[in-house]
Structure formats: structure tokens, C-alpha cells
Amino acid sequence: MKPLLNVSSLKVNYGGVYAVKKISIKVYEGQIVSITGANGAGKSSTLNALTGIYAPSSGEIVFRGENIAGFHAHRIVKRRLVQVPEGRHLFPNLTVRENLFTGNHCLGRFFLGKFIPENILNIFPMLRDRLDTSASSLSGGQAQMLALARGLMAQPLLLLLDEPTLGLDPIMVKEVLNLLSILRKQGLTILVVEQNVRQTLEISDYAYVLESGRMVMEGRGTELLNDSMLVKSYIGFGKS
């Protein structure tokens, strides 16, 4: 079976400094794949290269059989490779409903398609009663749920999540990661960048560990949880 996403020998260079150093990643349909590691490991830089926010210095990014390396972000999102960015980047002066509508932009509808699929409201019941309230009034957990829901409005074939539990309390962290497992069971393919190592590995079919822009470890999530080197070096980031 061919991977949905096949990244090979990816390098990302900022002003002569390599943030990502020749890494390779595969994501198969229906999986949750995670990229973990400490701050500055190159996790977000990897996602930003996959979605066209940064142009890779070299390497291939093959999505559904097409090499999209170097494509601009608007071309990539139209192929339904969708990123929910770190920090959520909601529109605070728009309502929850209007923020959801912005997820239609890659489908060419934007505010013209004023319809929220019922399945999205069922997945995010906390948003249903807040559709006409300002996004700025949401709690951190509610705002993250809105960012995830907006990503799903784009009907992704592969959803990329950059630190979806950042800044959330432990209860909300558990709720977000549980939601990812539910979405995977519904058939969604997910690539997630996270510092909550232990909890993320528990839900991951496969995982990669980055350090200083290099791949230092990979394997099934459950296998890495039992790896003494990972526990000693990284698991402290995921104890919350």
C-alpha cells in the first residue's frame, strides 16, 4: 500500500541555518502519526514546509502521488492537505459561525457557502450553542476546538495539527487527544506535532522523534513508550 504522504530527505533552511536536516516521514491513510521532541527540534518547521508556508531547501513531499514540494500554500490546501496552526489564529472579531465559514476558503466558497455540516456540530457540541458569539469570548479549550472544527470545514484528506494542546489544562489536553482518536476512527488521517510525548504516543499508530532538526527515533507509538532511551530523554515533556 502506498502512503498518503511520503516525505523524503526534507531540508528546511533559514538564512543559512538548517531547521530540518534531511528527514523522511510516511503517513498512511487512516493513521494518526505524530512528530515529537523538545522546543526547537524542527517539528513546526516540518509542518510549515509540508503546507507551503516555508519552501523546503531540498527533498520531496509526495501527497497522493504528486510531488508538492515548493508549491504555494493556496495550491496545497486546495489538494485538501490542511494545517491547524499553533496558536489557533482565529479571527477574534468574527463569531464562531463566521470563523467556521472561513474554513471554506480552500473549497472556493468562503462566506458564500453559509452551511455548517451537522456532523461537525455533533463532533464539537460545545460550539453549537456559541455559534453567534464572538470568538474572543471563548476559553482556551473552546478556541482550540473551534480551530479544529474550522480545519474540518476544509474537508481534509490529511489534517496537520501543530501543538493542539499547547497552553491547555490537563483535562482539556486529554479531551483534545481523545477527540483525535475519535476522528481517526471516523476515517480521518492525522499528522500531529506535539510536546505532550507520553499522551500523544498513546494514540499514535506511528511516531517520529526529532532532535535539533534530525530524526533520532521512530516506531509504533506503543513501542516507543517502552523504549528506555525515549523515556530517559523525552518522556519528561509529556508527564502533564
Side-chain angles (χ1 to χ4, degrees):
M1 180 174 64
K2 290 184 179 180
L4 181 65
L5 176 71
N6 190 0
V7 180
S8 56
S9 301
L10 180 69
K11 291 184 179 181
V12 181
N13 184 340
Y14 303 132
V17 177
Y18 279 100
V20 179
K21 304 169 184 175
K22 205 173 182 181
I23 67 170
S24 298
I25 295 168
K26 292 182 180 180
V27 181
Y28 290 90
E29 190 171 350
Q31 286 187 328
I32 292 178
V33 174
S34 59
I35 303 174
T36 63
N39 272 334
K43 305 184 304 296
S44 294
S45 295
T46 299
L47 286 198
N48 288 333
L50 299 184
T51 52
I53 296 172
Y54 301 140
S57 305
S58 62
E60 288 191 343
I61 303 170
V62 178
F63 180 61
R64 302 181 71 203
E66 179 184 20
N67 186 6
I68 61 172
F71 282 19
H72 292 300
H74 71 275
R75 293 183 65 191
I76 292 175
V77 76
K78 284 181 178 179
R79 285 158 172 77
R80 295 163 66 186
L81 179 62
V82 177
Q83 180 176 181
V84 177
E86 179 183 344
R88 301 158 197 141
H89 294 281
L90 301 175
F91 297 94
N93 296 326
L94 298 182
T95 66
V96 169
R97 186 190 306 274
E98 290 166 340
N99 268 278
L100 289 173
F101 290 155
T102 65
N104 283 329
H105 74 284
C106 72
L107 304 178
R109 296 200 299 263
F110 198 45
F111 283 95
L112 298 178
K114 296 188 176 181
F115 171 73
I116 302 170
E118 188 66 20
N119 70 302
I120 289 182
L121 296 178
N122 290 337
I123 294 169
F124 302 95
M126 67 172 60
L127 300 179
R128 187 185 291 273
D129 297 329
R130 296 173 174 82
L131 289 174
D132 295 311
T133 61
S134 171
S136 62
S137 69
L138 300 179
S139 68
Q142 291 167 347
Q144 185 59 57
M145 291 299 186
L146 176 54
L148 289 170
R150 181 180 60 182
L152 293 182
M153 288 287 289
Q155 300 177 17
L157 295 173
L158 175 57
L159 184 65
L160 280 60
L161 307 176
D162 194 353
E163 303 284 5
T165 71
L166 185 67
L168 302 183
D169 63 51
I171 293 176
M172 203 65 212
V173 168
K174 185 175 181 180
E175 188 167 339
V176 168
L177 295 178
N178 183 59
L179 176 62
L180 300 189
S181 293
I182 292 172
L183 291 172
R184 188 258 311 274
K185 289 178 182 177
Q186 294 179 354
L188 183 63
T189 308
I190 299 169
L191 177 62
V192 56
V193 156
E194 259 295 344
Q195 283 192 73
N196 277 298
V197 178
R198 183 186 297 276
Q199 291 157 296
T200 304
L201 290 179
E202 287 174 350
I203 66 167
S204 297
D205 297 289
Y206 203 83
Y208 298 90
V209 181
L210 296 187
E211 182 179 284
S212 301
R214 297 184 184 279
M215 194 76 68
V216 294
M217 201 177 301
E218 65 177 273
R220 294 185 178 275
T222 52
E223 292 173 354
L224 292 183
L225 277 172
N226 296 317
D227 188 293
S228 59
M229 184 181 297
L230 178 86
V231 171
K232 182 179 179 180
S233 302
Y234 299 100
I235 210 71
F237 294 104
K239 289 182 178 178
S240 64

